[in-house]
Amino acid sequence: LARLITGLLLLHDPHSRPIRWAGALFLFGILLFSGSLYTLALTGARGWGAITPSGGMEFLLGWALMGLGGARLGKGKQA
């Protein structure tokens, strides 16, 4: 859902830095969060569980930047 919304917002403003950063954070958040959980489940190596929160933090930062970029996009349309 996050990647879809990012793509739709980038269609309206492809040069928006917050939205572009949000997309990158979502991608790395998916890799870190899901990847560490898959690795933990498949290998049982408990050290991978320590990486999971950083992926979640990237998701949160991505949503915050997407909100900022969307708000800027909305203000630009009204002016």
Side-chain angles (χ1 to χ4, degrees):
L1 180 62
R3 298 289 292 164
L4 176 67
I5 295 171
T6 302
L8 291 173
L9 287 174
L10 282 174
L11 285 175
H12 292 288
D13 186 9
H15 302 292
S16 173
R17 277 192 163 168
I19 297 172
R20 290 174 64 177
W21 272 100
L25 286 170
F26 286 134
L27 177 65
F28 290 119
I30 289 168
L31 292 174
L32 286 175
F33 185 82
S34 300
S36 65
L37 289 178
Y38 278 120
T39 305
L40 176 65
L42 294 174
T43 66
R46 297 183 58 90
W48 288 98
I51 298 173
T52 307
S54 62
M57 182 58 71
E58 289 190 20
F59 276 124
L60 291 174
L61 290 172
W63 281 113
L65 283 175
M66 185 184 299
L68 177 68
R72 286 183 180 177
L73 182 64
K75 287 182 181 179
K77 293 274 184 188
Q78 294 174 356

